Amino acid sequence: MDRRQFITRSAMLGCSAAAAPFVTPVAMAAAPWDTRLVVIILRGAMDGVDVIQPYGDPALAALRPNLPAGEQGNALDLNGFYSLNPHFSALKPLYDTGEFGAVHAVSTPYRDRRSHFDGQDILEAGLPTLDGGGLRDGWLNRMLQVVPGLEPEVAYSIGREQMLVLSGEAPASRWAPETKLQISPNARALLDVVYHDDPLFRDASSDAIAIAEQISLDAAVAEETTDLMAGASMMDGVPLNGQHVEVAEFAATRLRGETRIASFSINGWDTHAQQSRSLRQRGTVLSDTILALRAGLGPVWGKTAVLCLTEFGRTARENGSAGTDHGTGSAMLYAGGALRGGQVIADWPGLGDGDLYAGRDLLPTRDVRAYAAWVMHDLIGLDRNTLEQAVFPGLELGPNPGLVL
């Protein structure tokens, strides 16, 4: 058993599985670039047609006479064709300053079965299909594996669940908002006695205790930083409560240091019924998260790209429960000072009867992986062959959409 395995697995420290990520060294290793990448998985299949509304398409009103459920007049115009769902209105100032935007009519290569589990696996694995024997790693982790000069602890998967997008051979840490790590003086004395005559475990125990003490110090510093940030966050309309804000603040704390990649999920986008009510909640959560990242990152925000991806879209036509069902095409939302916002990019296919995929869904006109790949190309410097062959096997990047400034 090596020292990392001991620190992670030792029951003597009283660590739960959720706490295990925090028992790795807190100091992040330097990465060979100075920009930051945040990937947010919107689990449940976000309705891109409702979040970024193509009100300029004449077919929309007939498909959705009751959606956005009276919000049509309150939607925020973006460019004369698209409008922003009013439940996401807190992001409109970022759109106006070029720090928020969207890519529409996109999806992964996943088609027809419309399973959340398969769709999310395809999205996070970055592969064209689920065929060929099992998913071993995610596209963010494969990127870490092919970048020369990387050392451990430059990436964080944040949340309780294991995220495939950062799983793989390259080292990456995990953290959950409820993670706690405490060691009492009595427990420390006991460890000293038990491991005194065993150099391997004695040294590992000493390291673990030092890490625990450093984490306590970091927690105190983070709490002080949160207090200092409170004024700025409130000015940006960010309520400093809720687990989603905790996650964003933790990510910002890591990214202000030497962490370069963070990834986490926001659940609850499955809107079969009462879609307007669900999007009101999800819109607040996502807006708070992005604004908390912006406030917490400070000047580092100008070096940051935030990509918000979902497994697939929803039906173009509303159902009988004031919602929509599983579909195909959707939108990718993005934010950050390193990206060119203030725009909705799309090769819009139309919503007419002859335009819909399988006669029911928004037709994807481009692979969403291509947009993520071009961001990695321009933000980090990965070459095209590496992106098409190693990070996203089977992908054809196509033309550069110019998202990165």
Side-chain angles (χ1 to χ4, degrees):
M1 179 182 292
D2 65 22
R3 192 158 58 178
R4 177 184 293 274
Q5 289 174 313
F6 166 75
I7 292 173
T8 303
R9 298 177 185 175
S10 175
M12 292 295 292
L13 286 176
C15 299
S16 67
F22 235 4
V23 202
T24 53
V26 175
M28 300 292 103
W33 65 82
D34 193 36
T35 50
R36 277 73 165 172
L37 176 62
V38 180
V39 176
I40 304 176
I41 305 297
L42 306 179
R43 298 191 189 278
M46 181 189 76
D47 186 0
V49 175
D50 200 347
V51 176
I52 306 295
Q53 302 169 5
Y55 74 90
D57 191 310
L60 178 64
L63 289 169
R64 300 184 170 203
N66 301 304
L67 286 177
E71 299 161 11
Q72 196 78 31
N74 298 326
L76 305 168
D77 181 63
L78 297 177
N79 61 6
F81 186 87
Y82 299 102
S83 59
L84 181 66
N85 185 297
H87 299 322
F88 297 74
S89 61
L91 297 175
K92 180 60 163 56
L94 269 64
Y95 183 91
D96 294 338
T97 57
E99 300 170 72
F100 172 75
V103 174
H104 222 317
V106 293
S107 77
T108 69
Y110 184 59
R111 295 290 184 274
D112 301 326
R113 296 181 183 178
R114 302 179 180 89
S115 158
H116 288 301
F117 299 106
D118 290 349
Q120 290 171 18
D121 281 349
I122 285 284
L123 172 64
E124 295 190 58
L127 301 175
T129 70
L130 291 172
D131 302 331
L135 304 171
R136 296 182 302 275
D137 51 16
W139 55 270
L140 277 179
N141 196 278
R142 288 197 299 275
M143 184 269 284
L144 294 175
Q145 294 175 43
V146 299
V147 174
L150 274 180
E151 297 179 29
E153 316 303 345
V154 298
Y156 258 92
S157 174
I158 305 168
R160 281 172 288 189
E161 75 272 28
Q162 177 72 34
M163 293 191 68
L164 175 61
V165 72
L166 259 174
S167 297
E169 295 181 4
S173 299
R174 288 199 298 140
W175 175 85
E178 68 274 22
T179 295
K180 304 293 181 186
L181 179 61
Q182 296 178 335
I183 182 167
S184 69
N186 287 340
R188 177 170 181 166
L190 177 61
L191 287 173
D192 288 342
V193 172
V194 171
Y195 295 137
H196 181 272
D197 295 324
D198 189 319
L200 172 63
F201 288 105
R202 183 184 64 228
D203 292 347
S205 174
S206 178
D207 283 352
I209 291 170
I211 290 166
E213 292 174 343
Q214 182 62 49
I215 289 170
S216 297
L217 177 62
D218 282 359
V221 171
E223 184 176 353
E224 181 179 350
T225 300
T226 297
D227 291 340
L228 291 173
M229 286 166 47
S233 295
M234 290 307 297
M235 284 192 296
D236 285 331
V238 181
L240 291 177
N241 55 65
Q243 191 176 90
H244 58 286
V245 173
E246 291 181 38
V247 166
E249 289 176 346
F250 175 80
T253 299
R254 295 292 95 196
L255 292 163
R256 285 201 312 270
E258 295 184 358
T259 296
R260 293 296 177 264
I261 297 171
S263 184
F264 53 90
S265 298
I266 295 177
N267 301 334
W269 299 89
D270 198 16
T271 52
H272 289 286
Q274 302 302 317
Q275 179 162 303
S276 179
R277 182 184 305 168
S278 296
L279 284 187
R280 181 182 298 112
Q281 298 168 344
R282 293 304 90 194
T284 297
V285 168
L286 182 59
S287 299
D288 286 357
T289 298
I290 291 175
L291 292 174
L293 281 171
R294 181 175 181 263
L297 285 169
V300 177
W301 176 254
K303 306 175 183 179
T304 300
V306 181
L307 305 181
C308 305
L309 309 168
T310 194
E311 63 261 36
F312 46 74
R314 310 196 70 83
T315 51
R317 185 173 286 104
E318 67 182 55
N319 60 27
S321 302
T324 52
D325 299 316
H326 296 180
T328 308
S330 187
M332 180 188 86
L333 310 180
Y334 65 88
L339 298 181
R340 183 175 285 105
Q343 60 178 341
V344 179
I345 301 173
D347 179 8
W348 186 248
L351 294 174
D353 288 340
D355 301 322
L356 299 177
Y357 177 78
R360 66 194 296 279
D361 303 337
L362 176 64
L363 175 71
T365 54
R366 193 165 184 187
D367 193 327
V368 71
R369 298 178 303 162
Y371 289 97
W374 277 116
V375 168
M376 295 160 74
H377 178 279
D378 294 345
L379 189 76
I380 298 170
L382 294 190
D383 66 85
R384 186 166 186 150
N385 287 338
T386 296
L387 289 164
E388 292 181 332
Q389 297 173 19
V391 179
F392 296 108
L395 173 67
E396 293 184 6
L397 264 72
N400 189 338
L403 283 180
V404 178
L405 291 171

